[in-house]
Amino acid sequence: MTGQPRAGDARTTPEAAFAATGLSRRYRRRWALRDCDFAIPAGAVCGLVGPNGSGKSTLLTLGAGLQQPTAGEVRVHGLRPGLDAVLRERIAFVAQDKPLYPRLTVAETLRLGRELNPRWDQDLALEVVQQGGLSLTGRVGELSGGQRSRVALALALGKRPDVLLLDEPMSDLDPLSRHQLMGTLMGQAAEHGTTVVISTHILSELDGVIDHLLLVDDGQVRLAGPVEEILGAHLLLDGPESLPLEPHTVLELRRTGRGVSALVRPDGPVAEGWRAEPPDLEQLLLAYLRSPGAASLNTTVPSSPMEVAA
Amino acid sequence: MTTAALPARSGPAVRRGLRPRGVTWLTWRQTRLALLVVTLGYLAALAYLLYQRHQLDVMQARYSGLQCDSTTRGTVSEIVGECGRTGMALAATANSLHEFASYAAVVPGLLGAALAAQPLAADFEHGRHLLLWSQSVSPRRWFTQRLVLPAAVLVVLSTALSAAMRWAAFWSHPASSMNDLAFAFPSDAMVPVYPLLTLTAIALGALVGLLWRRVIPALGTTLALYGALLYGIEKVRPYLLPFRRTVFAPGAMPGDAWAYDFGPVVHGKDLPYSACDHLACENLSNWTVYHSLSQFGPMLWVETGVLAVLTVGLVALAYRRLLAVTR
C-alpha cells in the first residue's frame, strides 16, 4: 500500500462516504452495536460481514437514517442520516426482507420509485428489471423471492444513490441470478461512482467483488479497512508444532495432521521452517469468526469522521 | 481533512397537473377501490335519506287529509283504524330517520379502522415503511400523505351527508316537527359534528396503527376505542352547556325541551323521581333540569369543538409516536 493516500493526509485523503465514531445502538437492554469506529471511502465497495445477530442490519439501518444511534454518531458524506433531509435522496437501502407492495405490478412499483425520488432513473430501473426477464405487468406478489430481490434492487439503483446499503440482497437468489445481479450492481456502482455497502453471510460472493471490508461481531468492529491491506497484514503459517510463533499476534491456531496451521499478524520475520502464504478472504473471515477473542484490526479508525485510509 | 460536499446532480423534473403524486399516488392506487365503494355508499345513504324525508311529508299529508282530530266522514271505527295506521306509519318514518342517523354515527369508526389504522399498521407489519422511508420520503411525509387523501374524501362526503341529515330533520321544517326528537336524535350524525367525528376517527385509527404496528390488533383497538368515544360523547353531551331549571304544574312539562332529570317538589325541596314510589306525585308540582331547543345548535358546536381538540391531540400524539419510532 506504499504510495497510497493515508488517513490524516489533507491533500490525498478521499472523502469518507460512510463513517462512524463511537457508534452504539441499544434495543431495550441489549446492545446491538457498541463503540463502532470505521470509515468507508467514497466509491468503495465494502463487504459487511458477521454472524447472525452481530449487528449488521442495525449498522445499515443507522446508515440509512431509519434509526438513530443511542450513542456516538454516524455520518454519510459528512451529514447525519435521517436528520439532514438533503441526504434522504442520496442513500438507497434494500432491507433484508425486500418489502414491496404485493398488489402493485412491477411497472407500478417502478412508478412508485419515480413518484418518490426526484433523481429517478427510469431507464436504469427498467434495465435491471428486464435483465431478469420480468414482465412489467406481473404483480409483485406473484414473483419468486429472487425476482422480488431484483425489483427491490431496481428501486434502489433507479434512485441513483451516492451510497447504496444492501442488507443480504442475494440471500434468496440462485447462483446464476446472484452472479447476474452482482454483475449489474457492480457495473452500476463503477459507472456512477456509487459507494456500496453489502452485508452478507455468503463469504464466497464477496471474493473479487469488494475492495473494503467491515467485519462486525457481537456489535463491535473486528476488522475494517481495504481488503488488500487487511489481507496483507495477515499470514497463514503451516508447519510443525514445535516452531516458534513469537513475536507474531496469533489469531487462530489449528492442528492439521502432524502440524499446525496458524493465522497470524506478523510482527517481524517469520521463523525458518514455516510455510507462509497470504490467506484468502474466506480463510481470513472464517478464522476471525471462529476466534471471537482475536485482536481487532481497524485500519480506518479516523482522526475525524471525514478521514479514512484508502 | 476533506470536505463532505455531495456531488451535484440534476434537480427534480418539473411536474405539472393535479394528479396525485408521491405517497399520495400510492395511497390513491391502494385505496381507490375502497374510496369508490365508500363514495357510492355515501351517495346511496344520501338518496335513502332524501327518500325518507319525502316519505315524512307524504305521511304527514295523508294523516292531515284524514282529519283524525276533527270531523269524520266515515264510520268511527274506519276512521280510527285508518288514523292509527297512518299515524304509526308517520312515526315509523320519523324513527327510520332516527335509526339511520344512529347507524351513520358508527360509520366513521369503521372508516378510521379501514383507511387509517389498517394501511399504517400494514406498512409496519410487512416492513414496507422501510421501503418508503428509504425512497426519499421522510417518516413525517409518509404519515401525512398516507392520511390526507382519505381524510379529504371522507370529510367532503361526511359533510354532505350530515348536512342533508340536519336539513331533513330540522332545517327543512318538515310538516311533522321533529323538534321533540332533537336531543334524542343521534346528533353525532349531523353537521358540524359528523365531519369532525370522521376526522377524529381517522386520527384515532392512525395513532392506533402506529402504536400496534399489527393490522388485526390495530383494527380491533380502533373499533373498540371509537365505540368508547361514542359512549363517552353520549355521557358528556348533557354537560356541554349549563342546564336550565324550572318548576311546572302537574302535566305541564315544558315542550321542545330535553329534560335531563326531574322529580317532585315537596315542601319546597327537590326530590328525585324515585321518591314517587312512596308519594302520590300526581298532584305535586315537579322540578326539571333541561336543555331548551334553542341550546341544541350551540351544543353541537361545543361538541364539535371538543372533537376538534381531541383530534388535534391525537394527531400530535401520532407525530410524537412516529418520532419515537425513528429514534
Side-chain angles (χ1 to χ4, degrees), chain A:
Chain A
M1 304 300 286
T2 312
Q4 296 283 326
R6 301 291 309 186
D9 185 337
R11 293 162 302 165
T12 55
T13 299
E15 178 189 326
F18 185 17
T21 311
L23 182 64
S24 305
R25 171 72 199 191
R26 189 177 60 193
Y27 296 110
R28 296 207 171 107
R29 290 182 181 176
R30 189 180 70 84
W31 286 94
L33 287 176
R34 195 143 204 185
D35 283 331
C36 292
D37 295 289
F38 62 84
I40 299 166
V45 177
C46 178
L48 174 58
V49 187
N52 291 335
S54 57
K56 301 190 297 293
S57 296
T58 300
L59 187 60
L60 291 177
T61 52
L62 289 169
L66 303 174
Q67 294 178 318
Q68 292 300 313
T70 308
E73 67 170 12
V74 60
R75 297 264 174 170
V76 172
H77 285 288
L79 302 173
R80 298 164 304 165
L83 299 178
D84 294 320
V86 68
L87 205 50
R88 214 174 284 286
E89 62 191 65
R90 310 277 176 159
I91 303 174
F93 170 68
V94 176
Q96 196 170 345
D97 300 333
K98 286 94 185 175
L100 293 167
Y101 288 94
R103 297 182 68 182
L104 296 189
T105 64
V106 173
E108 286 172 329
T109 304
L110 297 189
R111 179 173 174 182
L112 177 68
R114 195 171 77 224
E115 290 288 343
L116 302 183
N117 296 292
R119 303 191 306 177
W120 181 252
D121 187 335
Q122 179 75 0
D123 293 338
L124 174 57
L126 277 173
E127 185 186 325
V128 175
V129 164
Q130 285 167 349
Q131 271 178 358
L134 302 184
S135 163
L136 289 175
T137 54
R139 285 191 191 277
V140 168
E142 294 163 2
L143 301 179
S144 68
Q147 290 171 323
R148 284 167 54 89
S149 294
R150 186 172 281 278
V151 175
L153 272 175
L155 266 184
L157 285 170
K159 192 179 172 184
R160 277 290 179 83
D162 295 320
V163 177
L164 180 55
L165 305 172
L166 306 170
D167 195 357
E168 299 192 12
M170 314 286 179
S171 57
D172 47 5
L173 293 180
D174 60 75
L176 180 62
S177 301
R178 193 180 302 160
H179 182 75
Q180 279 180 340
L181 212 51
M182 191 63 97
T184 304
L185 190 63
M186 292 307 125
Q188 292 302 324
E191 188 178 338
H192 301 290
T194 310
T195 307
V196 181
V197 181
I198 178 167
S199 89
T200 183
H201 56 260
I202 306 170
L203 301 181
S204 58
E205 84 183 12
L206 297 179
D207 218 1
V209 173
I210 60 171
D211 51 29
H212 267 69
L213 181 67
L214 192 57
L215 172 62
V216 181
D217 192 7
D218 197 22
Q220 297 193 310
V221 173
R222 303 276 311 280
L223 284 173
V227 172
E228 280 184 30
E229 196 169 311
I230 287 180
L231 289 176
H234 295 82
L235 276 179
L236 197 59
L237 303 179
D238 277 305
E241 197 172 351
S242 55
L243 289 174
L245 283 165
E246 296 82 17
H248 314 303
T249 305
V250 181
L251 302 166
E252 188 189 40
L253 188 65
R254 299 168 68 201
R255 297 189 184 285
T256 54
R258 292 179 185 173
V260 290
S261 172
L263 181 74
V264 300
R265 247 183 252 156
D267 186 11
V270 174
E272 199 81 16
W274 284 111
R275 194 172 66 256
E277 59 180 18
D280 64 30
L281 188 58
E282 192 164 347
Q283 285 172 324
L284 180 80
L285 291 172
L286 284 174
Y288 268 90
L289 291 175
R290 283 192 296 252
S291 313
S296 300
L297 176 64
N298 189 343
T299 68
T300 74
V301 175
S303 55
S304 89
M306 302 311 306
E307 296 172 357
V308 57

Side-chain angles (χ1 to χ4, degrees), chain B:
Chain B
M1 192 173 74
T2 58
T3 59
L6 288 163
R9 292 274 175 95
S10 58
V14 178
R15 294 169 169 182
R16 297 186 178 89
L18 286 172
R19 67 173 184 81
R21 301 184 196 291
V23 180
T24 307
W25 172 81
L26 177 66
T27 308
W28 164 246
R29 170 63 187 78
Q30 289 188 306
T31 58
R32 60 189 179 186
L33 187 61
L35 289 178
L36 179 65
V37 169
V38 168
T39 303
L40 291 176
Y42 268 101
L43 290 176
L46 196 58
Y48 175 79
L49 179 65
L50 296 177
Y51 172 74
Q52 288 298 326
R53 173 64 184 75
H54 171 69
Q55 285 298 98
L56 196 65
D57 281 346
V58 169
M59 293 297 163
Q60 178 60 42
R62 188 174 296 166
Y63 190 77
S64 301
L66 290 172
Q67 296 177 317
C68 297
D69 52 357
S70 60
T71 59
T72 60
R73 284 172 292 177
T75 62
V76 171
S77 59
E78 282 172 354
I79 293 299
V80 167
E82 187 62 22
C83 284
R85 278 193 293 278
T86 308
M88 285 175 68
L90 178 61
T93 306
N95 278 335
S96 70
L97 279 176
H98 189 282
E99 280 178 15
F100 177 78
S102 301
Y103 292 132
V106 176
V107 171
L110 298 172
L111 296 177
L115 295 175
Q118 189 274 339
L120 295 178
D123 273 356
F124 276 110
E125 187 165 0
H126 301 291
R128 294 191 291 246
H129 64 299
L130 298 179
L131 170 72
L132 295 175
W133 295 0
S134 55
Q135 292 290 319
S136 311
V137 177
S138 69
R140 186 177 282 255
R141 192 176 134 208
W142 162 78
F143 176 75
T144 306
Q145 294 194 354
R146 267 298 204 185
L147 298 176
V148 160
L149 179 68
V153 170
L154 293 180
V155 163
V156 169
L157 292 173
S158 61
T159 302
L161 182 66
S162 56
M165 183 86 74
R166 197 161 171 191
W167 171 85
F170 301 105
W171 286 342
S172 62
H173 303 294
S176 180
S177 170
M178 297 184 70
N179 285 349
D180 57 332
L181 288 175
F183 288 103
F185 210 87
S187 53
D188 303 332
M190 287 188 284
V191 284
V193 178
Y194 196 57
L196 246 299
L197 188 65
T198 304
L199 281 180
T200 308
I202 290 172
L204 179 67
L207 177 61
V208 170
L210 286 180
L211 286 171
W212 266 115
R213 296 194 263 172
R214 294 284 180 275
V215 172
I216 300 299
L219 288 175
T221 306
T222 302
L223 291 175
L225 289 179
Y226 182 75
L229 174 68
L230 286 186
Y231 180 78
I233 290 174
E234 191 74 24
K235 293 293 168 194
V236 168
R237 187 179 294 130
Y239 302 99
L240 294 178
L241 286 178
F243 287 111
R244 293 175 180 179
R245 180 183 177 282
T246 189
V247 175
F248 57 93
M253 192 150 178
D256 283 356
W258 177 19
Y260 181 68
D261 198 4
F262 63 95
V265 179
V266 179
H267 304 305
K269 200 173 171 185
D270 293 353
L271 296 183
Y273 182 72
S274 57
C276 290
D277 293 345
H278 317 290
L279 296 170
C281 291
E282 293 79 18
N283 300 319
L284 293 176
S285 295
N286 287 275
W287 62 270
T288 181
V289 288
Y290 69 102
H291 289 296
S292 70
L293 191 63
S294 63
Q295 287 178 299
F296 182 62
M299 188 173 281
L300 292 188
W301 280 108
V302 173
E303 194 174 325
T304 304
V306 170
L307 287 173
V309 170
L310 181 61
T311 304
V312 169
L314 289 170
V315 170
L317 279 175
Y319 277 112
R320 195 183 166 90
R321 174 64 190 159
L322 190 61
L323 196 64
V325 170
T326 54
R327 287 288 178 265

